Amino acid sequence: GLPQVLIDEHQIQQVFVNLITNAAQAMSGGGMLFIGSRNGSSSGFVEVTVADTGKGIPPEFLPHIFDPFFSTKGDGGTGLGLSVSYGIIKNHKGDIRVESKVGVGTTFTIELPVYKEEG
């Protein structure tokens, strides 16, 4: 029952592959992955959340996770996945936010504008 959003299917798929891959890597010892959608907290948007019960992101890293080449994975990552995802969401006139607690997990929230027919 959610309103439609206008997206480039392949680009948004790339965003979700990045988020789900990161979540799986953060839960290498096991955990739970949650994906949900709802009307946005801001009128005119749909929200999609990707949440995991992984190791979490230290608070000092949170301001930098969307920066190009920033990675918390050491040799295991290029630091481009979240930066590219951020750019894709911004190009869709949306927003992406993150909340995380070390030892508890991480939640990414994506807001995409509702499609409005012109005319």
Side-chain angles (χ1 to χ4, degrees), residues 67-105:
D67 294 350
F69 305 109
F70 181 83
S71 177
T72 62
K73 298 178 188 175
D75 292 336
T78 63
L80 289 173
L82 288 176
S83 175
V84 168
S85 296
Y86 180 88
I88 289 170
I89 297 302
K90 289 298 182 180
N91 284 341
H92 280 79
K93 310 248 185 297
D95 195 21
I96 182 169
R97 301 183 305 276
V98 62
E99 295 176 34
S100 189
K101 288 190 179 175
V102 173
V104 177

mmCIF file of all heavy atoms in Angstrom, residues 67-105:
data_model
loop_
_atom_site.group_PDB
_atom_site.id
_atom_site.type_symbol
_atom_site.label_atom_id
_atom_site.label_comp_id
_atom_site.label_asym_id
_atom_site.label_seq_id
_atom_site.Cartn_x
_atom_site.Cartn_y
_atom_site.Cartn_z
ATOM 1 N N ASP A 67 32.286 8.813 2.880
ATOM 2 C CA ASP A 67 33.431 9.427 2.191
ATOM 3 C C ASP A 67 34.083 8.412 1.250
ATOM 4 O O ASP A 67 34.245 7.244 1.619
ATOM 5 C CB ASP A 67 34.490 9.899 3.195
ATOM 6 C CG ASP A 67 34.028 11.032 4.083
ATOM 7 O OD1 ASP A 67 32.951 11.608 3.819
ATOM 8 O OD2 ASP A 67 34.743 11.337 5.064
ATOM 9 N N PRO A 68 34.478 8.853 0.042
ATOM 10 C CA PRO A 68 35.170 7.931 -0.859
ATOM 11 C C PRO A 68 36.449 7.386 -0.222
ATOM 12 O O PRO A 68 37.185 8.116 0.433
ATOM 13 C CB PRO A 68 35.512 8.791 -2.075
ATOM 14 C CG PRO A 68 34.600 9.969 -1.995
ATOM 15 C CD PRO A 68 34.308 10.178 -0.538
ATOM 16 N N PHE A 69 36.682 6.108 -0.404
ATOM 17 C CA PHE A 69 37.870 5.380 0.037
ATOM 18 C C PHE A 69 37.973 5.213 1.548
ATOM 19 O O PHE A 69 38.981 4.729 2.044
ATOM 20 C CB PHE A 69 39.158 6.021 -0.531
ATOM 21 C CG PHE A 69 39.139 6.139 -2.024
ATOM 22 C CD1 PHE A 69 39.011 7.378 -2.628
ATOM 23 C CD2 PHE A 69 39.198 5.013 -2.819
ATOM 24 C CE1 PHE A 69 38.958 7.490 -4.013
ATOM 25 C CE2 PHE A 69 39.151 5.114 -4.202
ATOM 26 C CZ PHE A 69 39.035 6.352 -4.803
ATOM 27 N N PHE A 70 36.917 5.572 2.298
ATOM 28 C CA PHE A 70 36.931 5.317 3.736
ATOM 29 C C PHE A 70 36.371 3.918 3.975
ATOM 30 O O PHE A 70 35.297 3.579 3.490
ATOM 31 C CB PHE A 70 36.081 6.346 4.499
ATOM 32 C CG PHE A 70 36.109 6.120 5.991
ATOM 33 C CD1 PHE A 70 37.151 6.612 6.751
ATOM 34 C CD2 PHE A 70 35.112 5.388 6.614
ATOM 35 C CE1 PHE A 70 37.190 6.391 8.118
ATOM 36 C CE2 PHE A 70 35.151 5.160 7.980
ATOM 37 C CZ PHE A 70 36.198 5.664 8.731
ATOM 38 N N SER A 71 37.119 3.113 4.698
ATOM 39 C CA SER A 71 36.674 1.748 4.974
ATOM 40 C C SER A 71 37.044 1.370 6.393
ATOM 41 O O SER A 71 38.090 1.768 6.907
ATOM 42 C CB SER A 71 37.323 0.766 3.998
ATOM 43 O OG SER A 71 36.947 -0.556 4.309
ATOM 44 N N THR A 72 36.177 0.586 7.021
ATOM 45 C CA THR A 72 36.473 0.034 8.345
ATOM 46 C C THR A 72 36.920 -1.414 8.214
ATOM 47 O O THR A 72 37.136 -2.082 9.214
ATOM 48 C CB THR A 72 35.236 0.104 9.257
ATOM 49 O OG1 THR A 72 34.199 -0.690 8.674
ATOM 50 C CG2 THR A 72 34.768 1.529 9.442
ATOM 51 N N LYS A 73 37.069 -1.901 6.976
ATOM 52 C CA LYS A 73 37.353 -3.319 6.738
ATOM 53 C C LYS A 73 38.837 -3.623 6.549
ATOM 54 O O LYS A 73 39.181 -4.755 6.227
ATOM 55 C CB LYS A 73 36.588 -3.801 5.496
ATOM 56 C CG LYS A 73 35.088 -3.708 5.634
ATOM 57 C CD LYS A 73 34.428 -4.153 4.354
ATOM 58 C CE LYS A 73 32.942 -3.887 4.399
ATOM 59 N NZ LYS A 73 32.298 -4.208 3.120
ATOM 60 N N GLY A 74 39.716 -2.647 6.699
ATOM 61 C CA GLY A 74 41.135 -2.904 6.461
ATOM 62 C C GLY A 74 41.357 -3.260 5.004
ATOM 63 O O GLY A 74 40.914 -2.553 4.110
ATOM 64 N N ASP A 75 42.007 -4.391 4.749
ATOM 65 C CA ASP A 75 42.279 -4.818 3.378
ATOM 66 C C ASP A 75 41.052 -5.395 2.689
ATOM 67 O O ASP A 75 41.086 -5.675 1.501
ATOM 68 C CB ASP A 75 43.400 -5.872 3.366
ATOM 69 C CG ASP A 75 44.742 -5.273 3.764
ATOM 70 O OD1 ASP A 75 44.915 -4.049 3.602
ATOM 71 O OD2 ASP A 75 45.597 -6.045 4.233
ATOM 72 N N GLY A 76 39.942 -5.554 3.425
ATOM 73 C CA GLY A 76 38.770 -6.222 2.877
ATOM 74 C C GLY A 76 37.813 -5.340 2.098
ATOM 75 O O GLY A 76 36.807 -5.825 1.605
ATOM 76 N N GLY A 77 38.098 -4.046 1.982
ATOM 77 C CA GLY A 77 37.159 -3.183 1.272
ATOM 78 C C GLY A 77 37.856 -2.026 0.583
ATOM 79 O O GLY A 77 38.940 -1.615 0.982
ATOM 80 N N THR A 78 37.195 -1.501 -0.441
ATOM 81 C CA THR A 78 37.767 -0.375 -1.186
ATOM 82 C C THR A 78 37.336 0.965 -0.615
ATOM 83 O O THR A 78 37.929 1.991 -0.918
ATOM 84 C CB THR A 78 37.315 -0.411 -2.655
ATOM 85 O OG1 THR A 78 35.891 -0.255 -2.707
ATOM 86 C CG2 THR A 78 37.728 -1.701 -3.333
ATOM 87 N N GLY A 79 36.258 0.967 0.170
ATOM 88 C CA GLY A 79 35.736 2.224 0.672
ATOM 89 C C GLY A 79 34.905 2.971 -0.342
ATOM 90 O O GLY A 79 34.674 4.164 -0.197
ATOM 91 N N LEU A 80 34.443 2.275 -1.385
ATOM 92 C CA LEU A 80 33.648 2.943 -2.410
ATOM 93 C C LEU A 80 32.167 2.582 -2.362
ATOM 94 O O LEU A 80 31.339 3.335 -2.856
ATOM 95 C CB LEU A 80 34.204 2.622 -3.806
ATOM 96 C CG LEU A 80 35.537 3.283 -4.111
ATOM 97 C CD1 LEU A 80 36.089 2.779 -5.442
ATOM 98 C CD2 LEU A 80 35.408 4.790 -4.126
ATOM 99 N N GLY A 81 31.810 1.462 -1.779
ATOM 100 C CA GLY A 81 30.421 0.997 -1.802
ATOM 101 C C GLY A 81 29.439 1.999 -1.221
ATOM 102 O O GLY A 81 28.440 2.341 -1.859
ATOM 103 N N LEU A 82 29.707 2.493 -0.032
ATOM 104 C CA LEU A 82 28.779 3.434 0.600
ATOM 105 C C LEU A 82 28.837 4.802 -0.054
ATOM 106 O O LEU A 82 27.824 5.494 -0.142
ATOM 107 C CB LEU A 82 29.037 3.538 2.105
ATOM 108 C CG LEU A 82 28.623 2.315 2.915
ATOM 109 C CD1 LEU A 82 29.007 2.494 4.376
ATOM 110 C CD2 LEU A 82 27.133 2.040 2.775
ATOM 111 N N SER A 83 30.008 5.195 -0.543
ATOM 112 C CA SER A 83 30.130 6.472 -1.243
ATOM 113 C C SER A 83 29.307 6.454 -2.528
ATOM 114 O O SER A 83 28.563 7.404 -2.818
ATOM 115 C CB SER A 83 31.603 6.756 -1.555
ATOM 116 O OG SER A 83 31.730 7.920 -2.323
ATOM 117 N N VAL A 84 29.424 5.374 -3.293
ATOM 118 C CA VAL A 84 28.638 5.231 -4.524
ATOM 119 C C VAL A 84 27.147 5.178 -4.190
ATOM 120 O O VAL A 84 26.322 5.823 -4.847
ATOM 121 C CB VAL A 84 29.087 3.980 -5.313
ATOM 122 C CG1 VAL A 84 28.111 3.646 -6.424
ATOM 123 C CG2 VAL A 84 30.489 4.186 -5.879
ATOM 124 N N SER A 85 26.793 4.430 -3.149
ATOM 125 C CA SER A 85 25.382 4.325 -2.736
ATOM 126 C C SER A 85 24.827 5.695 -2.360
ATOM 127 O O SER A 85 23.702 6.047 -2.742
ATOM 128 C CB SER A 85 25.248 3.363 -1.558
ATOM 129 O OG SER A 85 25.612 2.056 -1.943
ATOM 130 N N TYR A 86 25.598 6.470 -1.629
ATOM 131 C CA TYR A 86 25.194 7.822 -1.243
ATOM 132 C C TYR A 86 24.909 8.664 -2.485
ATOM 133 O O TYR A 86 23.884 9.340 -2.575
ATOM 134 C CB TYR A 86 26.303 8.460 -0.393
ATOM 135 C CG TYR A 86 26.012 9.858 0.067
ATOM 136 C CD1 TYR A 86 25.326 10.077 1.258
ATOM 137 C CD2 TYR A 86 26.432 10.966 -0.668
ATOM 138 C CE1 TYR A 86 25.064 11.374 1.691
ATOM 139 C CE2 TYR A 86 26.168 12.254 -0.242
ATOM 140 C CZ TYR A 86 25.487 12.456 0.937
ATOM 141 O OH TYR A 86 25.217 13.723 1.358
ATOM 142 N N GLY A 87 25.812 8.608 -3.467
ATOM 143 C CA GLY A 87 25.628 9.370 -4.696
ATOM 144 C C GLY A 87 24.379 8.949 -5.457
ATOM 145 O O GLY A 87 23.642 9.793 -5.974
ATOM 146 N N ILE A 88 24.119 7.656 -5.510
ATOM 147 C CA ILE A 88 22.929 7.151 -6.201
ATOM 148 C C ILE A 88 21.666 7.673 -5.532
ATOM 149 O O ILE A 88 20.744 8.157 -6.196
ATOM 150 C CB ILE A 88 22.940 5.611 -6.251
ATOM 151 C CG1 ILE A 88 24.025 5.117 -7.213
ATOM 152 C CG2 ILE A 88 21.562 5.061 -6.636
ATOM 153 C CD1 ILE A 88 24.284 3.617 -7.158
ATOM 154 N N ILE A 89 21.610 7.596 -4.209
ATOM 155 C CA ILE A 89 20.418 8.053 -3.493
ATOM 156 C C ILE A 89 20.238 9.562 -3.668
ATOM 157 O O ILE A 89 19.121 10.046 -3.895
ATOM 158 C CB ILE A 89 20.482 7.663 -2.001
ATOM 159 C CG1 ILE A 89 20.496 6.141 -1.848
ATOM 160 C CG2 ILE A 89 19.337 8.292 -1.226
ATOM 161 C CD1 ILE A 89 19.311 5.412 -2.445
ATOM 162 N N LYS A 90 21.317 10.329 -3.602
ATOM 163 C CA LYS A 90 21.230 11.782 -3.802
ATOM 164 C C LYS A 90 20.767 12.107 -5.225
ATOM 165 O O LYS A 90 19.987 13.039 -5.426
ATOM 166 C CB LYS A 90 22.563 12.463 -3.492
ATOM 167 C CG LYS A 90 22.889 12.485 -2.007
ATOM 168 C CD LYS A 90 21.850 13.266 -1.242
ATOM 169 C CE LYS A 90 22.166 13.361 0.223
ATOM 170 N NZ LYS A 90 21.152 14.112 0.980
ATOM 171 N N ASN A 91 21.239 11.340 -6.225
ATOM 172 C CA ASN A 91 20.798 11.549 -7.610
ATOM 173 C C ASN A 91 19.310 11.255 -7.785
ATOM 174 O O ASN A 91 18.686 11.768 -8.714
ATOM 175 C CB ASN A 91 21.606 10.685 -8.583
ATOM 176 C CG ASN A 91 22.992 11.226 -8.819
ATOM 177 O OD1 ASN A 91 23.267 12.395 -8.568
ATOM 178 N ND2 ASN A 91 23.876 10.376 -9.293
ATOM 179 N N HIS A 92 18.756 10.436 -6.908
ATOM 180 C CA HIS A 92 17.317 10.138 -6.922
ATOM 181 C C HIS A 92 16.534 11.151 -6.070
ATOM 182 O O HIS A 92 15.365 10.949 -5.775
ATOM 183 C CB HIS A 92 17.061 8.715 -6.416
ATOM 184 C CG HIS A 92 17.314 7.661 -7.440
ATOM 185 N ND1 HIS A 92 18.581 7.228 -7.754
ATOM 186 C CD2 HIS A 92 16.455 6.966 -8.230
ATOM 187 C CE1 HIS A 92 18.486 6.301 -8.695
ATOM 188 N NE2 HIS A 92 17.219 6.121 -9.004
ATOM 189 N N LYS A 93 17.193 12.222 -5.650
ATOM 190 C CA LYS A 93 16.597 13.270 -4.808
ATOM 191 C C LYS A 93 16.148 12.717 -3.449
ATOM 192 O O LYS A 93 15.173 13.171 -2.863
ATOM 193 C CB LYS A 93 15.421 13.949 -5.522
ATOM 194 C CG LYS A 93 15.749 14.404 -6.936
ATOM 195 C CD LYS A 93 15.766 15.893 -7.055
ATOM 196 C CE LYS A 93 15.971 16.393 -8.454
ATOM 197 N NZ LYS A 93 17.232 16.063 -9.078
ATOM 198 N N GLY A 94 16.898 11.721 -2.984
ATOM 199 C CA GLY A 94 16.582 11.095 -1.703
ATOM 200 C C GLY A 94 17.658 11.373 -0.672
ATOM 201 O O GLY A 94 18.524 12.232 -0.853
ATOM 202 N N ASP A 95 17.589 10.616 0.417
ATOM 203 C CA ASP A 95 18.544 10.773 1.511
ATOM 204 C C ASP A 95 18.856 9.399 2.076
ATOM 205 O O ASP A 95 18.035 8.477 1.999
ATOM 206 C CB ASP A 95 17.959 11.679 2.600
ATOM 207 C CG ASP A 95 19.009 12.175 3.583
ATOM 208 O OD1 ASP A 95 20.219 12.162 3.239
ATOM 209 O OD2 ASP A 95 18.639 12.558 4.701
ATOM 210 N N ILE A 96 20.043 9.254 2.641
ATOM 211 C CA ILE A 96 20.436 8.024 3.313
ATOM 212 C C ILE A 96 21.094 8.396 4.629
ATOM 213 O O ILE A 96 21.921 9.315 4.684
ATOM 214 C CB ILE A 96 21.363 7.160 2.418
ATOM 215 C CG1 ILE A 96 21.724 5.838 3.118
ATOM 216 C CG2 ILE A 96 22.577 7.916 1.961
ATOM 217 C CD1 ILE A 96 22.403 4.820 2.201
ATOM 218 N N ARG A 97 20.642 7.732 5.691
ATOM 219 C CA ARG A 97 21.164 7.989 7.043
ATOM 220 C C ARG A 97 21.598 6.677 7.673
ATOM 221 O O ARG A 97 21.144 5.602 7.266
ATOM 222 C CB ARG A 97 20.087 8.607 7.927
ATOM 223 C CG ARG A 97 19.511 9.912 7.445
ATOM 224 C CD ARG A 97 18.486 10.487 8.425
ATOM 225 N NE ARG A 97 17.403 9.592 8.764
ATOM 226 C CZ ARG A 97 16.291 9.430 8.046
ATOM 227 N NH1 ARG A 97 16.138 10.091 6.909
ATOM 228 N NH2 ARG A 97 15.341 8.611 8.445
ATOM 229 N N VAL A 98 22.430 6.789 8.690
ATOM 230 C CA VAL A 98 22.886 5.601 9.394
ATOM 231 C C VAL A 98 22.821 5.839 10.893
ATOM 232 O O VAL A 98 23.071 6.942 11.377
ATOM 233 C CB VAL A 98 24.324 5.206 8.962
ATOM 234 C CG1 VAL A 98 25.313 6.305 9.296
ATOM 235 C CG2 VAL A 98 24.734 3.877 9.573
ATOM 236 N N GLU A 99 22.438 4.805 11.606
ATOM 237 C CA GLU A 99 22.521 4.762 13.069
ATOM 238 C C GLU A 99 23.215 3.465 13.420
ATOM 239 O O GLU A 99 22.930 2.425 12.814
ATOM 240 C CB GLU A 99 21.125 4.771 13.698
ATOM 241 C CG GLU A 99 20.334 6.037 13.453
ATOM 242 C CD GLU A 99 18.921 5.929 14.016
ATOM 243 O OE1 GLU A 99 18.741 5.269 15.056
ATOM 244 O OE2 GLU A 99 18.009 6.481 13.386
ATOM 245 N N SER A 100 24.119 3.514 14.385
ATOM 246 C CA SER A 100 24.854 2.308 14.737
ATOM 247 C C SER A 100 25.310 2.357 16.179
ATOM 248 O O SER A 100 25.626 3.425 16.706
ATOM 249 C CB SER A 100 26.072 2.152 13.813
ATOM 250 O OG SER A 100 26.667 0.897 13.997
ATOM 251 N N LYS A 101 25.331 1.173 16.801
ATOM 252 C CA LYS A 101 25.881 1.014 18.140
ATOM 253 C C LYS A 101 26.807 -0.188 18.111
ATOM 254 O O LYS A 101 26.419 -1.278 17.657
ATOM 255 C CB LYS A 101 24.784 0.798 19.177
ATOM 256 C CG LYS A 101 23.984 2.033 19.460
ATOM 257 C CD LYS A 101 23.075 1.846 20.652
ATOM 258 C CE LYS A 101 22.323 3.146 20.894
ATOM 259 N NZ LYS A 101 21.349 3.016 21.944
ATOM 260 N N VAL A 102 28.029 0.013 18.573
ATOM 261 C CA VAL A 102 29.006 -1.064 18.602
ATOM 262 C C VAL A 102 28.457 -2.213 19.450
ATOM 263 O O VAL A 102 27.934 -2.006 20.548
ATOM 264 C CB VAL A 102 30.361 -0.557 19.153
ATOM 265 C CG1 VAL A 102 31.331 -1.707 19.342
ATOM 266 C CG2 VAL A 102 30.941 0.492 18.221
ATOM 267 N N GLY A 103 28.532 -3.413 18.907
ATOM 268 C CA GLY A 103 28.064 -4.605 19.601
ATOM 269 C C GLY A 103 26.565 -4.843 19.506
ATOM 270 O O GLY A 103 26.066 -5.852 19.991
ATOM 271 N N VAL A 104 25.834 -3.915 18.884
ATOM 272 C CA VAL A 104 24.371 -4.029 18.771
ATOM 273 C C VAL A 104 23.948 -4.167 17.317
ATOM 274 O O VAL A 104 23.141 -5.022 16.964
ATOM 275 C CB VAL A 104 23.667 -2.816 19.423
ATOM 276 C CG1 VAL A 104 22.159 -2.896 19.240
ATOM 277 C CG2 VAL A 104 24.023 -2.732 20.903
ATOM 278 N N GLY A 105 24.484 -3.311 16.441
ATOM 279 C CA GLY A 105 24.137 -3.384 15.029
ATOM 280 C C GLY A 105 24.032 -2.023 14.380
ATOM 281 O O GLY A 105 24.286 -0.987 14.999
#
